[in-house]
Amino acid sequence: MATLLSPFSPSPLAKVSQIIDSTSSHSFSLFPLGRQNACSRKADHHHHHRIRTSKFGNFLELTPESEPEFLVFDLPWFHPSDRIRYDVIIIGTGPAGLRLAEQVSSRHGIKVCCVDPSPLSTWPNNYGVWVDEFEDIGLIDCLDKTWPMTCVFINDHKTKYLDRPYGRVSRNILKTKLLENCVLNGVRFHKAKVWHVNHQEFESSIVCDDGNEIKASLIVDASGFASSFVDYDKPRNHGYQIAHGILAEVESHPFDLDKMVLMDWRDSHLGNEPYLRASNLKLPTFLYAMPFDSNLVFLEETSLVSRPVLSYKEVKRRMAARLRHMGIRVKRVIEDEKCLIPMGGPLPVIPQSVMAIGSTSGLVHPSTGYMVARTMALAPALADAIAECLGSTRMIRGRPLHQKVWNGLWPIDRRCNREFYSFGMETLLKLDLKGTRRFFDAFFDLNPHYWHGFLSSRLSLAELAGLSLSLFGHASNSSRFDIVTKCPLPLVKMMGNLALETI
């Protein structure tokens, strides 16, 4: 909702410059901006921009002004002549890859090489997280903006105010911090695209598009959900979260500056759009908004989950109608981003010769699309499992290594919990706008321990069962009817999968 991001006076210009400097260039995602690695942003590559104000409420004609940026950082590069044999090769330098590289390399003696076509490019998508999640893992200094409260507009007559601070991640600060720690711990980098991954009994290797072959005891894929290096043995029946977001300078907006809008399910803006209103009743979208000041705001229209994926054109048309209705006149589009996040579906084969982390490994929250904070939190556990094998005098390799590291990321209890979150996704897929509103009306009435834990993927299976009972108790009669009539098949599927996991 991942996540997950003209002439004016000197003061606004300074503010906009600060925002661009701290975030430019790809999360959520609840929604969005925790989203993570599946987003792409369209950027204008011209050096000169004609400043134009959009027609009232219509931002679609404006060209994003931001350009691709690269961090200025002196990385230690891989050299074929060094003939170094690595313990771990990590494919990808997104948040997941760099966080794991930082954690693994801090274990004494473990040699790590990160391979990416552009290791110093800034991440192009915005990431939003709950402040307590980043505080718990020591990354609170990587947030460039926080809001003390969030709000959820259930409909035109009911709003939920949530006393849980929300923040936007500074992509440049986070990436710089991770790179600095990697360099301090001896990580090497190679600027290339990986073409092939090969395996022998106790050793693996990658072949890059520049002809270099690099060998290691373990290959970790952190390159995103579209990777072809990780194997599945079940159909990948994902749900999809899709969103269109803009960081925009506007003449004004109606949002409170101390509140981040987590979800706005109102549909009054479609009153004069009969086709859009009818389609929104069946497959609803909501607005996610981060107000930075009275003239600068991140806006994102999001389909929480659909199968098949909702049309991107439809999402943009609904967003244009919403902004027009709210009286938001967009003066400049500083950035835009298109996010497509596969949610749910089966986990990869466990174990297998390639390890994975991030969206490649199934860490996207099946019900919300959140991933960044969870990946940051789980990387140390995976690093511990790797270090136990490769940092020991025994040097565990081959299948025992793969078994150890995969179980380090996906122990049985975590796999069972994911089945419950997938059940939540399958339930949401069956709800129309009215059912979705009733669901979130009851959900955010729960004890904060339950909804905090659910969105942050930190409830035990027993607590998830307690959440279900509490949710049924808080639900309206209509919502209970939805649960009784629309949940049996997803429930049977979940129970079957839980039985298979525990055999």
Side-chain angles (χ1 to χ4, degrees):
M1 301 184 203
T3 246
L4 48 286
L5 236 189
S6 36
F8 30 34
S9 63
S11 178
L13 178 58
K15 293 176 184 176
V16 171
S17 297
Q18 290 169 4
I19 294 290
I20 296 175
D21 288 343
S22 65
T23 64
S24 283
S25 156
H26 168 300
S27 45
F28 121 149
S29 175
L30 260 162
F31 260 45
L33 302 175
R35 46 200 157 218
Q36 326 238 12
N37 301 348
C39 300
S40 62
R41 189 205 64 208
K42 300 175 182 177
D44 181 7
H45 298 283
H46 299 293
H47 294 289
H48 301 286
H49 307 282
R50 187 157 57 99
I51 305 302
R52 297 185 300 144
T53 299
S54 71
K55 295 177 182 177
F56 191 72
N58 184 8
F59 60 91
L60 300 178
E61 63 186 25
L62 299 180
T63 301
E65 298 180 9
S66 59
E67 298 180 358
E69 290 189 1
F70 299 88
L71 297 178
V72 178
F73 207 95
D74 187 16
L75 293 179
W77 299 102
F78 159 82
H79 295 290
S81 59
D82 292 343
R83 299 188 179 279
I84 297 175
R85 187 188 180 284
Y86 294 97
D87 298 301
V88 181
I89 293 171
I90 298 175
I91 304 171
T93 56
L98 286 182
R99 174 69 165 174
L100 183 62
E102 171 206 49
Q103 293 294 311
V104 172
S105 61
S106 66
R107 275 61 174 179
H108 179 69
I110 296 184
K111 299 182 180 65
V112 180
C113 182
C114 290
V115 182
D116 189 281
S118 187
L120 290 175
S121 62
T122 54
W123 299 323
N125 63 308
N126 284 268
Y127 299 114
V129 297
W130 299 104
V131 170
D132 56 84
E133 292 180 325
F134 258 41
E135 193 170 34
D136 289 346
I137 55 179
L139 295 175
I140 192 72
D141 58 331
C142 295
L143 301 180
D144 62 6
K145 174 68 177 178
T146 60
W147 293 266
M149 295 185 69
T150 57
C151 61
V152 176
F153 293 93
I154 301 298
N155 54 40
D156 286 295
H157 310 291
K158 181 178 287 190
T159 304
K160 304 279 187 181
Y161 295 98
L162 311 177
D163 188 17
R164 190 184 186 190
Y166 198 84
R168 187 181 74 158
V169 177
S170 169
R171 296 163 290 184
N172 284 4
I173 292 175
L174 178 59
K175 184 164 187 176
T176 298
K177 180 173 184 172
L178 295 177
L179 283 174
E180 286 176 345
N181 290 339
C182 285
V183 171
L184 286 174
N185 294 328
V187 175
R188 293 292 184 93
F189 292 83
H190 185 49
K191 185 176 180 179
K193 180 178 177 61
V194 176
W195 274 4
H196 303 290
V197 176
N198 302 312
H199 302 287
Q200 297 178 348
E201 185 176 1
F202 297 114
E203 184 179 71
S204 299
S205 64
I206 61 170
V207 178
C208 301
D209 60 355
D210 60 1
N212 281 300
E213 181 181 18
I214 310 175
K215 297 181 179 181
S217 297
L218 179 66
I219 309 295
V220 181
D221 188 354
S223 61
F225 74 89
S227 169
S228 60
F229 302 130
V230 174
D231 295 328
Y232 293 78
D233 59 2
K234 297 177 183 177
R236 300 178 70 176
N237 58 328
H238 297 295
Y240 291 92
Q241 182 174 117
I242 189 169
H244 180 74
I246 57 172
L247 176 63
E249 184 203 355
V250 299
E251 290 190 353
S252 64
H253 62 73
F255 308 114
D256 292 338
L257 297 182
D258 64 344
K259 297 178 183 67
M260 180 268 169
V261 180
L262 187 66
M263 309 173 88
D264 182 350
W265 293 105
R266 294 176 292 185
D267 69 340
S268 51
H269 59 289
L270 300 176
N272 295 322
E273 304 275 359
Y275 167 75
L276 290 180
R277 188 162 206 170
S279 64
N280 188 67
L281 286 172
K282 296 178 181 178
L283 295 172
T285 57
F286 64 91
L287 181 71
Y288 171 100
M290 292 176 163
F292 297 102
D293 61 32
S294 58
N295 303 109
L296 188 67
V297 61
F298 180 84
L299 302 161
E300 189 160 59
E301 190 78 15
T302 302
S303 166
L304 180 55
V305 63
S306 60
R307 185 196 291 141
V309 64
L310 187 65
S311 160
Y312 182 53
K313 180 180 179 181
E314 173 93 355
V315 172
K316 291 202 296 183
R317 289 178 63 193
R318 293 185 192 180
M319 184 175 180
R322 190 189 296 272
L323 300 192
R324 184 166 57 246
H325 178 79
M326 298 177 80
I328 298 177
R329 189 191 298 270
V330 177
K331 297 173 68 177
R332 299 171 57 210
V333 174
I334 299 167
E335 295 179 3
D336 78 345
E337 65 178 40
K338 174 184 178 180
C339 290
L340 178 64
I341 307 168
M343 295 161 58
L347 287 174
V349 174
I350 297 176
Q352 59 180 288
S353 300
V354 173
M355 184 58 211
I357 192 170
S359 59
T360 323
S361 66
L363 285 182
V364 174
H365 194 306
S367 299
T368 68
Y370 277 134
M371 186 184 70
V372 166
R374 189 173 185 222
T375 298
M376 297 291 108
L378 289 180
L382 178 56
D384 286 342
I386 293 172
E388 188 175 335
C389 296
L390 300 182
S392 69
T393 55
R394 293 177 295 162
M395 285 300 292
I396 301 170
R397 298 181 185 176
R399 186 172 179 81
L401 166 63
H402 305 147
Q403 184 80 52
K404 183 75 175 178
V405 295
W406 273 105
N407 287 337
L409 185 64
W410 286 113
I412 184 64
D413 59 335
R414 200 170 290 150
R415 298 203 297 267
C416 289
N417 290 352
R418 187 179 185 274
E419 289 297 333
F420 190 97
Y421 295 127
S422 295
F423 164 66
M425 182 196 78
E426 295 294 337
T427 300
L428 289 169
L429 281 167
K430 295 181 179 297
L431 299 180
D432 58 12
L433 176 60
K434 291 181 179 179
T436 301
R437 284 171 168 171
R438 290 192 292 261
F439 175 85
F440 284 109
D441 189 17
F443 180 80
F444 287 113
D445 270 350
L446 295 175
N447 182 306
H449 172 76
Y450 281 135
W451 71 260
H452 286 197
F454 184 89
L455 298 183
S456 299
S457 304
R458 59 191 183 202
L459 296 181
S460 68
L461 197 59
E463 288 173 317
L464 288 169
L467 178 149
S468 298
L469 294 174
S470 183
L471 184 63
F472 193 82
H474 281 81
S476 65
N477 288 333
S478 298
S479 191
R480 289 183 183 127
F481 181 77
D482 282 338
I483 293 171
V484 169
T485 59
K486 297 177 180 179
C487 292
L489 285 179
L491 180 61
V492 169
K493 179 180 177 182
M494 178 187 73
M495 298 305 293
N497 289 338
L498 285 175
L500 290 174
E501 290 289 359
T502 54
I503 290 176

